[in-house]
Amino acid sequence: MHANFQELLNLRDAAPVDARIAGHVAECRQCRLELERLSALKAALRGLPQLSPPNGMWQAIREDMEVTSPRVRHMLIGAAATVLIGGILVLIQIRQVHRASGPAAPVASADADGQPLQRLVMRSQQLEDLLRRLPPRPSVERAATSAAIDDLQTRIEVLDLQLDTLPSGDQERDRAQRLWNARVQLLHSLIDVRYAEALRDAEGAVNSQFSGVI
Amino acid sequence: MPSIQTGQIPADTVLRARHGDREAHERIYRQLCQPVYTLIRRLVVRPTVAQDLLQDVFVEVLRNLSHYRAIGSFEGWVKSIAINKALMYLRSPWHRSRQWLSADDVSALHEEGCGQLVEPMDADLARALEQLPPLSRAVVWLHDVEDFTHAEIARMFGRTTSFSKSQLARAHEQLRERLKPDTGALSCMRISKNC
């Protein structure tokens, strides 16, 4: 019986292996070839080229450090505390309203099956109102968050374009409902991402102030 | 070879950086950004996430230089912070909730890979590695490239050594499938904007 992967990997890495297995591999051409292949693959993985981060990363790190440096921290403590308390209160309020209006997933299943168009439009307006009440996006943003927000906004813009060019009439009602439903879901996702970002930003500021005070 | 080699940062640079010398901070970044980014990218794959994590790692390193006790190598300390950040990301619900963006990110990866001067064999292998499940990919990279033992990997994941061994075997099995000449991964001939 041939050696399995784990046994071959143990042999490759000079880890303890049953003597019978080692004996078999020494005599079996197929197992020896597999062992050589595993060694070659390890060498190839170790030889993969290094990857470079994009230019401008150091600038972003420096700005991040600058924001949390002790000097700037002390300067910001007084002003930021007031803004923070207000911001967190707004976030809590927004979260409550957002939760009350329902998460994205249930909206998809409930609304797709013919919820009146008017309600979807109203929900869309409420969510946009929530979005406007969120604090502005931070000046230093995580690339992944920024990409996710941009992607969601682009998708909403595409939907808006489709809604703008949609002919009126009963025959297009189903399509309009689908588009508005998709818009509501995207707005829910956008609020989730923006909310998480705002909360992280607020927590970061609190932590840096807290460590500065200590 | 392991992505981060020891002895790249002179002790006096670390000392100056501890005292807030900005040039020393930048020197540490310039010396280590590429190996740290490579390590993170091999673990989390998505470039935008890797960039975020790289930023987090260096901010944490430079902010916490006073916590570095010089018992092990400085590069080893940076490496442990980078691995912790990457594994925390892989374990986070945020990572799982972003799966819906994967299609966009995968196309970005292919374009990035084609944009660089990479040997076709390297490109195939890198792509096969990227296509592994996150845990298997992390284990194979940490074991085969970064030289961590199964016991060390098990500690990082809070699992047993059998978990690490079985993940490694599974990863190699999948890599073999993906790299088979007849059904293997595509070389860098994909039609894309950058190729």
Side-chain angles (χ1 to χ4, degrees), chain A residues 5-6 12-13 34 37 41-42 44 46 49-53 57-58 64 66 68 142-144, chain B residues 1 3 22 26 29 34 37-38 42 51-52 55-56 62-63 125 143-145 147 165 172-173 176:
Chain A
F5 262 101
Q6 212 153 315
R12 183 197 71 174
D13 299 329
E34 194 55 41
R37 198 194 58 78
L41 186 58
K42 183 177 182 175
R46 295 169 76 90
Q50 290 215 328
L51 303 166
S52 299
M57 283 299 295
W58 173 241
D64 207 344
E66 197 67 35
T68 52
R142 287 163 175 256
Chain B
M1 73 177 94
S3 51
R22 289 186 180 196
E26 185 166 356
Y29 172 78
Q34 209 179 21
Y37 183 66
T38 303
R42 297 300 181 207
Q51 287 155 28
D52 278 348
Q55 186 170 336
D56 285 354
L62 298 176
R63 249 193 230 155
L125 180 56
H143 185 273
D144 282 6
V145 181
D147 294 331
K165 285 180 180 178
H172 274 287
E173 212 169 333
R176 186 178 68 167

Side-chain angles (χ1 to χ4, degrees), chain B residues 60-150:
Chain B
E60 185 164 330
V61 164
L62 298 176
R63 249 193 230 155
N64 294 294
L65 280 166
S66 57
H67 296 165
Y68 168 59
R69 298 282 170 230
I71 295 167
S73 74
F74 177 71
E75 295 81 358
W77 181 64
V78 175
K79 183 174 174 173
S80 67
I81 292 173
I83 291 172
N84 275 341
K85 293 256 181 218
L87 295 187
M88 268 173 67
Y89 171 77
L90 291 178
R91 285 191 291 252
S92 72
W94 178 245
H95 164 61
R96 286 192 293 275
S97 72
R98 285 195 73 250
Q99 293 296 324
W100 62 274
L101 277 174
S102 59
D104 296 346
D105 277 2
V106 167
S107 62
L109 284 174
H110 290 159
E111 284 165 16
E112 182 190 57
C114 292
Q116 291 176 350
L117 290 173
V118 181
E119 293 291 322
M121 171 63 188
D122 285 346
D124 287 347
L125 180 56
R127 193 169 295 125
L129 186 69
E130 283 161 2
Q131 287 168 351
L132 289 178
L135 282 188
S136 303
R137 185 176 60 243
V139 170
V140 78
W141 189 263
L142 293 173
H143 185 273
D144 282 6
V145 181
E146 304 295 339
D147 294 331
F148 285 99
T149 64
H150 285 298

Side-chain angles (χ1 to χ4, degrees), chain B residues 4 23 163:
Chain B
I4 303 176
E23 269 182 40
F163 158 82

Side-chain angles (χ1 to χ4, degrees), chain B residues 1 26 32 36 43 84 168 175 193:
Chain B
M1 73 177 94
E26 185 166 356
L32 295 180
V36 172
L43 297 182
N84 275 341
L168 184 69
L175 282 174
K193 286 183 277 187

